[in-house]
Amino acid sequence: MTKLEIASLSASSERYIGTQGGGMDQAIAFLGTKGCAKHIQFNPLLSEDVKLPDGAVFVIAHSLAVLNKAKTSDFNCRVAECHLAAQIMAKKRGLSWEKVSSLADLQSAVSASLVEMVDLVKELLHEEPYSKEEICGELEVSEGFLDQLSLSSNTTHISHFKLHQRALHVYQEANRVRAFQEVCQNETVSSLALMKLGELMRESHESLKNLYECSHPNLDKLVYLGEGRALGSRLTGAGWGGCIVALTTKDTVSDYINTLKEKFYKGNPAAVGKDLDSLVFATEPNTGAEIYKLEQ
């Protein structure tokens, strides 16, 4: 099997525990390239190397908060909200909405740019949360049909969904990914490129916090403490705890790490007895999992 096949298989395997994950973690774990970021796309899984600007140094900092996403409905609720947002917008555009299972599907169906999709969200979805009853009315289906087609077993009990906010985040975030890649490819001045990338990361966290609502007070505090020392930072992974990733430079990375140790970890009861160097550290893109063949 190729790395690409193993990454796809690993992503689908995770769903057997009930988490409707997308496969980003599995993709980078197998497909990572030393010294490069990866632009990853799905259906089918594709990856492209993105050369980072000179001087970029990334720092990982653990928030000391952990959520078992397979035991809660938070993660799957966001997946469901994106499904429902795509389906209602498809219905409003006269498409076969039952065949639309993601916001990416909808974008392909209407052949629109990411900026145009943002405008479409603002046009077709209201900002107030949708009740389950309202969604059934919009799609002209029974609650049982909706549960079977659009929801997972641990989201059928949810009574209200924020469709406008989730769809808006997804399309704007996808546009930030596009912009990040363009900066890396086209900006010739490294210092200016790093500033632009940092700004995109800051915007990303604000959106994850306010529109997608998957942040955590500890993550927000780490992001806040890095202001003026890191070029930008954002939560990484699914959220609700875990880590942030921050963009710094060789000149600022030590000061940034020491600041977090002093103002976040020192005296924090959750950090007592732990090696701080394992909770906050500089890192760089490296090769993903390797496959070795042993000759007999």
PDB file of all heavy atoms in Angstrom, residues 101-123:
ATOM      1  N   SER A 101     -23.628  16.428   0.614  1.00  0.00           N
ATOM      2  CA  SER A 101     -23.279  16.024   1.980  1.00  0.00           C
ATOM      3  C   SER A 101     -22.248  16.929   2.633  1.00  0.00           C
ATOM      4  O   SER A 101     -21.913  16.749   3.805  1.00  0.00           O
ATOM      5  CB  SER A 101     -22.756  14.585   1.992  1.00  0.00           C
ATOM      6  OG  SER A 101     -21.575  14.479   1.215  1.00  0.00           O
ATOM      7  N   SER A 102     -21.725  17.905   1.899  1.00  0.00           N
ATOM      8  CA  SER A 102     -20.717  18.788   2.481  1.00  0.00           C
ATOM      9  C   SER A 102     -20.764  20.156   1.817  1.00  0.00           C
ATOM     10  O   SER A 102     -21.336  20.335   0.728  1.00  0.00           O
ATOM     11  CB  SER A 102     -19.314  18.192   2.315  1.00  0.00           C
ATOM     12  OG  SER A 102     -18.919  18.230   0.949  1.00  0.00           O
ATOM     13  N   LEU A 103     -20.134  21.119   2.463  1.00  0.00           N
ATOM     14  CA  LEU A 103     -20.045  22.465   1.893  1.00  0.00           C
ATOM     15  C   LEU A 103     -19.184  22.473   0.635  1.00  0.00           C
ATOM     16  O   LEU A 103     -19.396  23.278  -0.265  1.00  0.00           O
ATOM     17  CB  LEU A 103     -19.499  23.431   2.945  1.00  0.00           C
ATOM     18  CG  LEU A 103     -20.452  23.693   4.120  1.00  0.00           C
ATOM     19  CD1 LEU A 103     -19.716  24.347   5.280  1.00  0.00           C
ATOM     20  CD2 LEU A 103     -21.625  24.562   3.688  1.00  0.00           C
ATOM     21  N   ALA A 104     -18.213  21.552   0.573  1.00  0.00           N
ATOM     22  CA  ALA A 104     -17.404  21.431  -0.644  1.00  0.00           C
ATOM     23  C   ALA A 104     -18.252  20.919  -1.808  1.00  0.00           C
ATOM     24  O   ALA A 104     -18.113  21.383  -2.942  1.00  0.00           O
ATOM     25  CB  ALA A 104     -16.223  20.496  -0.402  1.00  0.00           C
ATOM     26  N   ASP A 105     -19.144  19.965  -1.516  1.00  0.00           N
ATOM     27  CA  ASP A 105     -20.065  19.467  -2.541  1.00  0.00           C
ATOM     28  C   ASP A 105     -20.899  20.612  -3.108  1.00  0.00           C
ATOM     29  O   ASP A 105     -21.102  20.720  -4.317  1.00  0.00           O
ATOM     30  CB  ASP A 105     -21.017  18.417  -1.958  1.00  0.00           C
ATOM     31  CG  ASP A 105     -20.329  17.092  -1.674  1.00  0.00           C
ATOM     32  OD1 ASP A 105     -19.205  16.880  -2.167  1.00  0.00           O
ATOM     33  OD2 ASP A 105     -20.926  16.275  -0.952  1.00  0.00           O
ATOM     34  N   LEU A 106     -21.398  21.443  -2.211  1.00  0.00           N
ATOM     35  CA  LEU A 106     -22.245  22.564  -2.642  1.00  0.00           C
ATOM     36  C   LEU A 106     -21.468  23.526  -3.527  1.00  0.00           C
ATOM     37  O   LEU A 106     -21.969  23.973  -4.564  1.00  0.00           O
ATOM     38  CB  LEU A 106     -22.798  23.296  -1.421  1.00  0.00           C
ATOM     39  CG  LEU A 106     -23.655  24.523  -1.743  1.00  0.00           C
ATOM     40  CD1 LEU A 106     -24.923  24.122  -2.477  1.00  0.00           C
ATOM     41  CD2 LEU A 106     -23.995  25.284  -0.458  1.00  0.00           C
ATOM     42  N   GLN A 107     -20.233  23.841  -3.128  1.00  0.00           N
ATOM     43  CA  GLN A 107     -19.429  24.758  -3.927  1.00  0.00           C
ATOM     44  C   GLN A 107     -19.211  24.207  -5.331  1.00  0.00           C
ATOM     45  O   GLN A 107     -19.305  24.942  -6.322  1.00  0.00           O
ATOM     46  CB  GLN A 107     -18.081  25.032  -3.259  1.00  0.00           C
ATOM     47  CG  GLN A 107     -17.249  26.062  -4.025  1.00  0.00           C
ATOM     48  CD  GLN A 107     -15.867  26.254  -3.436  1.00  0.00           C
ATOM     49  OE1 GLN A 107     -15.482  25.566  -2.481  1.00  0.00           O
ATOM     50  NE2 GLN A 107     -15.109  27.172  -3.987  1.00  0.00           N
ATOM     51  N   SER A 108     -18.927  22.921  -5.425  1.00  0.00           N
ATOM     52  CA  SER A 108     -18.738  22.293  -6.741  1.00  0.00           C
ATOM     53  C   SER A 108     -20.029  22.346  -7.554  1.00  0.00           C
ATOM     54  O   SER A 108     -20.016  22.608  -8.758  1.00  0.00           O
ATOM     55  CB  SER A 108     -18.286  20.837  -6.580  1.00  0.00           C
ATOM     56  OG  SER A 108     -17.037  20.765  -5.946  1.00  0.00           O
ATOM     57  N   ALA A 109     -21.156  22.120  -6.886  1.00  0.00           N
ATOM     58  CA  ALA A 109     -22.439  22.071  -7.585  1.00  0.00           C
ATOM     59  C   ALA A 109     -22.836  23.421  -8.174  1.00  0.00           C
ATOM     60  O   ALA A 109     -23.433  23.489  -9.252  1.00  0.00           O
ATOM     61  CB  ALA A 109     -23.526  21.574  -6.639  1.00  0.00           C
ATOM     62  N   VAL A 110     -22.484  24.504  -7.472  1.00  0.00           N
ATOM     63  CA  VAL A 110     -22.856  25.839  -7.959  1.00  0.00           C
ATOM     64  C   VAL A 110     -21.725  26.514  -8.723  1.00  0.00           C
ATOM     65  O   VAL A 110     -21.899  27.615  -9.255  1.00  0.00           O
ATOM     66  CB  VAL A 110     -23.329  26.746  -6.803  1.00  0.00           C
ATOM     67  CG1 VAL A 110     -24.536  26.146  -6.110  1.00  0.00           C
ATOM     68  CG2 VAL A 110     -22.209  26.999  -5.802  1.00  0.00           C
ATOM     69  N   SER A 111     -20.560  25.855  -8.789  1.00  0.00           N
ATOM     70  CA  SER A 111     -19.402  26.373  -9.537  1.00  0.00           C
ATOM     71  C   SER A 111     -19.073  27.816  -9.148  1.00  0.00           C
ATOM     72  O   SER A 111     -18.977  28.713  -9.991  1.00  0.00           O
ATOM     73  CB  SER A 111     -19.661  26.290 -11.046  1.00  0.00           C
ATOM     74  OG  SER A 111     -19.887  24.954 -11.436  1.00  0.00           O
ATOM     75  N   ALA A 112     -18.897  28.034  -7.851  1.00  0.00           N
ATOM     76  CA  ALA A 112     -18.625  29.382  -7.349  1.00  0.00           C
ATOM     77  C   ALA A 112     -17.275  29.432  -6.645  1.00  0.00           C
ATOM     78  O   ALA A 112     -16.764  28.413  -6.175  1.00  0.00           O
ATOM     79  CB  ALA A 112     -19.731  29.812  -6.392  1.00  0.00           C
ATOM     80  N   SER A 113     -16.709  30.641  -6.566  1.00  0.00           N
ATOM     81  CA  SER A 113     -15.461  30.841  -5.829  1.00  0.00           C
ATOM     82  C   SER A 113     -15.751  30.850  -4.338  1.00  0.00           C
ATOM     83  O   SER A 113     -16.916  30.930  -3.905  1.00  0.00           O
ATOM     84  CB  SER A 113     -14.819  32.167  -6.225  1.00  0.00           C
ATOM     85  OG  SER A 113     -15.606  33.258  -5.760  1.00  0.00           O
ATOM     86  N   LEU A 114     -14.710  30.787  -3.519  1.00  0.00           N
ATOM     87  CA  LEU A 114     -14.890  30.824  -2.072  1.00  0.00           C
ATOM     88  C   LEU A 114     -15.508  32.151  -1.628  1.00  0.00           C
ATOM     89  O   LEU A 114     -16.357  32.180  -0.735  1.00  0.00           O
ATOM     90  CB  LEU A 114     -13.547  30.599  -1.371  1.00  0.00           C
ATOM     91  CG  LEU A 114     -12.992  29.181  -1.483  1.00  0.00           C
ATOM     92  CD1 LEU A 114     -11.541  29.130  -1.028  1.00  0.00           C
ATOM     93  CD2 LEU A 114     -13.831  28.201  -0.665  1.00  0.00           C
ATOM     94  N   VAL A 115     -15.098  33.245  -2.253  1.00  0.00           N
ATOM     95  CA  VAL A 115     -15.671  34.555  -1.916  1.00  0.00           C
ATOM     96  C   VAL A 115     -17.155  34.579  -2.268  1.00  0.00           C
ATOM     97  O   VAL A 115     -17.982  35.090  -1.502  1.00  0.00           O
ATOM     98  CB  VAL A 115     -14.921  35.680  -2.656  1.00  0.00           C
ATOM     99  CG1 VAL A 115     -15.624  37.025  -2.453  1.00  0.00           C
ATOM    100  CG2 VAL A 115     -13.476  35.765  -2.167  1.00  0.00           C
ATOM    101  N   GLU A 116     -17.501  34.016  -3.391  1.00  0.00           N
ATOM    102  CA  GLU A 116     -18.914  33.949  -3.783  1.00  0.00           C
ATOM    103  C   GLU A 116     -19.713  33.061  -2.843  1.00  0.00           C
ATOM    104  O   GLU A 116     -20.885  33.341  -2.561  1.00  0.00           O
ATOM    105  CB  GLU A 116     -19.028  33.445  -5.226  1.00  0.00           C
ATOM    106  CG  GLU A 116     -18.536  34.444  -6.266  1.00  0.00           C
ATOM    107  CD  GLU A 116     -18.428  33.854  -7.662  1.00  0.00           C
ATOM    108  OE1 GLU A 116     -18.207  32.623  -7.777  1.00  0.00           O
ATOM    109  OE2 GLU A 116     -18.540  34.628  -8.638  1.00  0.00           O
ATOM    110  N   MET A 117     -19.087  31.998  -2.319  1.00  0.00           N
ATOM    111  CA  MET A 117     -19.776  31.122  -1.376  1.00  0.00           C
ATOM    112  C   MET A 117     -20.047  31.843  -0.055  1.00  0.00           C
ATOM    113  O   MET A 117     -21.090  31.629   0.574  1.00  0.00           O
ATOM    114  CB  MET A 117     -18.973  29.850  -1.130  1.00  0.00           C
ATOM    115  CG  MET A 117     -18.856  28.934  -2.342  1.00  0.00           C
ATOM    116  SD  MET A 117     -20.433  28.505  -3.112  1.00  0.00           S
ATOM    117  CE  MET A 117     -21.262  27.630  -1.790  1.00  0.00           C
ATOM    118  N   VAL A 118     -19.123  32.706   0.349  1.00  0.00           N
ATOM    119  CA  VAL A 118     -19.344  33.517   1.550  1.00  0.00           C
ATOM    120  C   VAL A 118     -20.575  34.403   1.358  1.00  0.00           C
ATOM    121  O   VAL A 118     -21.439  34.508   2.242  1.00  0.00           O
ATOM    122  CB  VAL A 118     -18.101  34.368   1.867  1.00  0.00           C
ATOM    123  CG1 VAL A 118     -18.426  35.436   2.924  1.00  0.00           C
ATOM    124  CG2 VAL A 118     -16.957  33.480   2.354  1.00  0.00           C
ATOM    125  N   ASP A 119     -20.669  35.026   0.197  1.00  0.00           N
ATOM    126  CA  ASP A 119     -21.831  35.872  -0.098  1.00  0.00           C
ATOM    127  C   ASP A 119     -23.114  35.048  -0.118  1.00  0.00           C
ATOM    128  O   ASP A 119     -24.175  35.513   0.327  1.00  0.00           O
ATOM    129  CB  ASP A 119     -21.645  36.570  -1.449  1.00  0.00           C
ATOM    130  CG  ASP A 119     -20.534  37.608  -1.425  1.00  0.00           C
ATOM    131  OD1 ASP A 119     -20.210  38.095  -0.329  1.00  0.00           O
ATOM    132  OD2 ASP A 119     -19.982  37.917  -2.509  1.00  0.00           O
ATOM    133  N   LEU A 120     -23.024  33.813  -0.617  1.00  0.00           N
ATOM    134  CA  LEU A 120     -24.195  32.948  -0.693  1.00  0.00           C
ATOM    135  C   LEU A 120     -24.683  32.562   0.705  1.00  0.00           C
ATOM    136  O   LEU A 120     -25.894  32.505   0.964  1.00  0.00           O
ATOM    137  CB  LEU A 120     -23.863  31.693  -1.506  1.00  0.00           C
ATOM    138  CG  LEU A 120     -25.048  30.894  -2.055  1.00  0.00           C
ATOM    139  CD1 LEU A 120     -25.858  31.733  -3.029  1.00  0.00           C
ATOM    140  CD2 LEU A 120     -24.560  29.622  -2.742  1.00  0.00           C
ATOM    141  N   VAL A 121     -23.751  32.303   1.611  1.00  0.00           N
ATOM    142  CA  VAL A 121     -24.112  32.004   3.000  1.00  0.00           C
ATOM    143  C   VAL A 121     -24.884  33.174   3.605  1.00  0.00           C
ATOM    144  O   VAL A 121     -25.936  32.998   4.242  1.00  0.00           O
ATOM    145  CB  VAL A 121     -22.855  31.705   3.846  1.00  0.00           C
ATOM    146  CG1 VAL A 121     -23.207  31.641   5.332  1.00  0.00           C
ATOM    147  CG2 VAL A 121     -22.211  30.401   3.408  1.00  0.00           C
ATOM    148  N   LYS A 122     -24.371  34.381   3.392  1.00  0.00           N
ATOM    149  CA  LYS A 122     -25.017  35.571   3.959  1.00  0.00           C
ATOM    150  C   LYS A 122     -26.388  35.809   3.345  1.00  0.00           C
ATOM    151  O   LYS A 122     -27.291  36.349   3.998  1.00  0.00           O
ATOM    152  CB  LYS A 122     -24.108  36.788   3.749  1.00  0.00           C
ATOM    153  CG  LYS A 122     -22.800  36.710   4.520  1.00  0.00           C
ATOM    154  CD  LYS A 122     -21.905  37.896   4.222  1.00  0.00           C
ATOM    155  CE  LYS A 122     -20.598  37.812   5.020  1.00  0.00           C
ATOM    156  NZ  LYS A 122     -19.693  38.943   4.711  1.00  0.00           N
ATOM    157  N   GLU A 123     -26.555  35.399   2.104  1.00  0.00           N
ATOM    158  CA  GLU A 123     -27.828  35.584   1.411  1.00  0.00           C
ATOM    159  C   GLU A 123     -28.873  34.546   1.821  1.00  0.00           C
ATOM    160  O   GLU A 123     -30.059  34.881   2.003  1.00  0.00           O
ATOM    161  CB  GLU A 123     -27.598  35.504  -0.106  1.00  0.00           C
ATOM    162  CG  GLU A 123     -28.880  35.560  -0.940  1.00  0.00           C
ATOM    163  CD  GLU A 123     -28.632  35.234  -2.406  1.00  0.00           C
ATOM    164  OE1 GLU A 123     -27.471  35.308  -2.854  1.00  0.00           O
ATOM    165  OE2 GLU A 123     -29.605  34.889  -3.100  1.00  0.00           O
TER     166      GLU A 123
END
